[in-house]
Amino acid sequence: MLTSVVGINWGDEGKGRMVDLLSEQQDIVCRYQGGNNAGHTVVNHLGKFILNLLPSGILRPEVVNVMGNGMVIDIAHLCGEIGRLREGGVTITPEHLKISDKAVICMPYNVAQDCLEEERLKDAKYGSTRRGIAPIYGDKYLKKALRMGDLKQPEALKKNLKNILEWKNLTITGVYGAKPFAYDEMLAWLEKYGTPLLDYICDTGVYLEEAIGQGKNIMFEAQLGALRDIDFGIYPYTSSSSTIAAYGPIGAGIPGHGLDRVLGIMKAYSTCVGEGPFTAEMFGDEAEELRKAGGEYGAATGRPRRVGGFDVVASKYGVWVQGATELALTKMDVLSYLDKIPVVVSYDVNGKTVHAFPMGQDLTDAKPNVEYLDGWGTDISGCRKFEDLPENAQKYVKYIEQAVNCPITYISVGAEREQIIVL
Ligand code: GDP
Ligand code: MG
């Protein structure tokens, strides 16, 4: 059985928390795109962990975790992340972590380039996490990137690094007027952080193909949400990778396989980190209250997230992009403080009411049409059955389910593993 767990919105829907919960029934969890710009929070009996690169199944010793070819990996960050988890009592061995030999390495000059470009853009900046993600994906498609497998071929690695660095420094010095990166320093960096990872690097496609033959359950864990997908998201305020479910098998290393199940993670309200059009956005005290109630500060960066009411237009589009077969509605408990719950039911674009998610300038021009549903005015974080929820909370779930036209099968009412209602 192949399952994708993906974000329906702008990211930070609670994917990490759902993967941690659902990985109980999984043999293998794969990350298939993105890099350490992700921040997946998992809270369990060992404590609270924020995962940037590692799949969220890493906290279960019986689950094998795969970092697929679709990822971009900052190896210094990965070594640090593994070290922090080990200090927290998590065991990480080559038996239960496999890194694709085809994943590309995010280099220090990519991080520098990301920062230099955001500085150059000033007020027009993209709101990058400045982790080098866009530059390294650019390099990948220009075919000027080093791959994890190169670390196992020291002579080829040196040659490739030399060629790529010569090219990259033309941009670093010529375009940005910054200091060039030294070959010796980059090689030392690759050796320092690459050597501890050597035993983990393999052909994840071969591994996964064999696992499928043995009838294993495999889960693909997305980073970010549908609206950040490079093709279908709010371009250019997207990420640089494919965040959609269908890319899961490709980015993990088994491109010929389809999915059996797509679980979309959808937040009970809207949040968005960084720049770009965000039609549902609230401002002032209303926003501050929701941000506080939901603890909406970036897991990877600490940045305050922009917040708003649930957005039917964007979420319905997200459900379609992901091909979701079912949904988990997360962070319902956060809305308990509200008397009236705002929901964006349609957009107004240049005087016309629209229900289909617009793109480009139409999206920038869109104004939200908001309706209010009655709140439930009581803490629901202890509820474990749908019937336990107050009537108005039940109505809110049913309303959303109908609005986005996809069954809600989980409702999460807290960050802890067991704070969940299964329908
Ligand atoms: P991800 O990037 O999709 O994995 O989500 P993040 O981890 O960035 O953000 C979700 C945040 O909400 C984390 O701090 C979680 O611990 C927390 N969280 C997840 N589910 C719930 C929930 O149902 N209720 C509350 N109150 N917090 C939750
Ligand atoms: Mg996150």
Side-chain angles (χ1 to χ4, degrees), residues 102-343:
K102 299 179 195 67
V104 300
I105 302 174
C106 183
M107 297 288 293
Y109 51 72
N110 293 125
V111 178
Q113 202 184 341
D114 203 353
C115 298
L116 288 166
E117 178 58 13
E118 285 284 287
E119 299 300 331
R120 189 190 71 81
L121 285 168
K122 295 201 177 72
D123 289 348
K125 66 184 191 297
Y126 283 8
S128 164
T129 51
R130 301 180 183 222
R131 303 278 167 98
I133 308 300
I136 183 57
Y137 271 113
D139 288 2
K140 169 177 170 169
Y141 287 98
L142 288 168
K143 297 161 290 181
K144 303 251 192 233
L146 299 166
R147 308 212 286 186
M148 293 299 291
D150 295 343
L151 294 169
K152 291 186 159 179
Q153 309 281 345
E155 287 318 306
L157 180 76
K158 284 178 195 159
K159 194 171 128 231
N160 293 342
L161 173 66
K162 198 160 187 310
N163 290 337
I164 291 172
L165 194 59
E166 207 177 283
W167 166 79
K168 180 59 72 177
N169 275 334
L170 294 173
T171 306
I172 298 280
T173 59
V175 175
Y176 297 107
K179 231 174 84 216
F181 281 77
Y183 169 80
D184 289 346
E185 280 173 33
M186 287 303 95
L187 186 63
W189 184 87
L190 285 164
E191 283 168 350
K192 178 174 177 190
Y193 298 109
T195 308
L197 299 173
L198 289 179
D199 292 344
Y200 297 83
I201 299 167
C202 64
D203 186 332
T204 56
V206 168
Y207 171 74
L208 289 171
E209 204 61 66
E210 212 170 290
I212 289 173
Q214 294 163 355
K216 297 251 163 90
N217 286 325
I218 301 173
M219 180 178 274
F220 305 100
E221 173 186 17
Q223 176 221 0
L224 302 170
L227 300 165
R228 299 290 189 194
D229 180 75
I230 183 76
D231 291 298
F232 298 99
I234 53 173
Y235 192 86
Y237 299 101
T238 56
S239 201
S240 300
S241 62
S242 296
T243 64
I244 52 172
Y247 192 74
I250 301 170
I254 39 169
H257 290 271
L259 297 164
D260 299 299
R261 181 185 179 203
V262 178
L263 176 65
I265 314 300
M266 188 171 78
K267 212 160 178 163
Y269 52 96
S270 301
T271 63
C272 167
V273 185
E275 309 298 320
F278 182 44
T279 316
E281 186 162 16
M282 289 174 177
F283 300 93
D285 292 347
E286 191 189 19
E288 200 44 47
E289 261 188 308
L290 180 53
R291 188 175 299 121
K292 252 200 211 132
E296 298 298 348
Y297 303 89
T301 57
R303 289 187 289 185
R305 294 173 181 153
R306 297 157 77 192
V307 298
F310 184 82
D311 185 330
V312 172
V313 181
S315 301
K316 199 172 173 183
Y317 176 71
V319 167
W320 174 78
V321 166
Q322 297 293 15
T325 54
E326 59 186 290
L327 297 169
L329 187 66
T330 58
K331 304 195 84 164
M332 261 290 275
D333 56 298
V334 172
L335 298 177
S336 299
Y337 77 94
L338 286 164
D339 297 333
K340 294 269 174 207
I341 304 179
V343 175

Side-chain angles (χ1 to χ4, degrees), residues 11-17 39-43 48 224 267 293-296 299 305 330-334 412-415 419:
D12 304 320
E13 297 92 346
K15 293 175 294 293
R17 165 260 189 277
H40 295 179
T41 314
V42 179
V43 184
K48 178 174 171 174
L224 302 170
K267 212 160 178 163
E296 298 298 348
R305 294 173 181 153
T330 58
K331 304 195 84 164
M332 261 290 275
D333 56 298
V334 172
S412 103
V413 291
Q419 289 183 301

Side-chain angles (χ1 to χ4, degrees), residues 332 339 341 373-377 389-397:
M332 261 290 275
D339 297 333
I341 304 179
L373 271 68
D374 289 331
W376 43 90
L389 289 172
E391 197 187 336
N392 283 346
Q394 294 189 12
K395 277 190 186 160
Y396 188 74
V397 175

